[in-house]
Amino acid sequence: MQDNLKNNATLEPPLSKTRRKQAMHALQDIGEQLVALDAKQIAELDLPETLRDAILETKLITKHEARRRQLQYIGKLMREIDIAPIQEKINARQHTSLHHTAWLHQLERWRERLLTDETVFTEFGQQYPHADLQRLRTLVRNANQEKLAGKPPKNFRALFHELRTIIPEKTILS
């Protein structure tokens, strides 16, 4: 009888209804993140076939209530698998996306500064000595002339593309 009491004492207490609901909502949130991915990205995650099919089917559902029920179903399917590796891959993908966005913002800031302030070329040349400053000056001059003439922003875009080749994406720190 004492052995039986010891076994009961080592068992974990059951989760409360609130905790179970929170866990299920968390799984549904991960399911929503999976639905936001494209088919190629979903295939890279190595998901069970039933879960992958449910995610792809959710992309076709347009009605709110049907979509909500499908996300609940995805959450139910996810209870059966280890979601830690899936969550890690989603987080890594989001980090990469944030990193890329930061790089694009940096390029936009440089373009804006180059277009509005002639003295920035010296600073830019010091930070990126391999840059062709003469080409950048030409693009800036032409972009400003296009803007004044009301023409399409061909050189404005070309300046951005030139900055993309000069400033590597890996320069942004995480």
Side-chain angles (χ1 to χ4, degrees):
M1 183 166 181
Q2 276 187 336
D3 290 334
N4 199 11
L5 288 175
K6 287 180 184 177
N7 287 341
N8 286 338
T10 59
L11 293 178
E12 294 180 21
L15 289 176
S16 67
K17 184 176 180 182
T18 303
R19 295 280 184 226
R20 286 194 313 260
K21 281 182 133 182
Q22 287 173 345
M24 287 181 220
H25 285 294
L27 289 175
Q28 287 177 32
D29 291 342
I30 293 170
E32 285 187 54
Q33 292 174 352
L34 290 172
V35 170
L37 300 176
D38 62 32
K40 181 182 174 192
Q41 293 169 333
I42 292 170
E44 292 172 357
L45 291 176
D46 193 33
L47 300 171
E49 187 175 344
T50 55
L51 178 59
R52 184 180 31 117
D53 292 344
I55 291 168
L56 294 174
E57 187 175 326
T58 305
K59 291 177 173 292
L60 304 175
I61 297 174
T62 57
K63 301 281 186 185
H64 175 72
E65 186 60 23
R67 184 176 173 83
R68 186 189 65 77
R69 284 192 311 269
Q70 185 69 10
L71 287 170
Q72 285 180 329
Y73 176 64
I74 289 171
K76 179 181 176 184
L77 292 174
M78 290 177 64
R79 285 184 238 157
E80 309 294 322
I81 62 171
D82 180 21
I83 61 161
I86 296 169
Q87 187 65 51
E88 286 175 15
K89 289 180 181 176
I90 290 173
N91 290 344
R93 186 176 309 282
Q94 287 175 343
H95 177 72
T96 302
S97 177
L98 291 173
H99 180 78
H100 183 73
T101 302
W103 174 64
L104 292 175
H105 284 280
Q106 181 190 30
L107 296 176
E108 287 287 344
R109 284 190 302 273
W110 272 116
R111 176 171 64 179
E112 191 60 36
R113 288 180 68 199
L114 289 168
L115 287 168
T116 57
D117 186 7
E118 278 289 319
T119 61
V120 174
F121 283 98
T122 306
E123 179 186 343
F124 190 83
Q126 289 172 348
Q127 279 196 340
Y128 304 101
H130 62 282
D132 182 359
L133 294 180
Q134 188 59 42
R135 172 145 171 77
L136 287 176
R137 285 181 197 276
T138 303
L139 288 170
V140 166
R141 184 180 61 249
N142 291 344
N144 285 329
Q145 288 174 352
E146 285 174 349
K147 186 176 182 180
L148 291 174
K151 292 182 177 180
K154 177 183 168 190
N155 286 291
F156 183 77
R157 291 182 188 124
L159 177 60
F160 185 79
H161 289 291
E162 186 69 22
L163 290 172
R164 285 181 75 158
T165 60
I166 295 170
I167 303 172
E169 186 170 357
K170 62 184 173 243
T171 60
I172 302 293
L173 299 176
S174 302

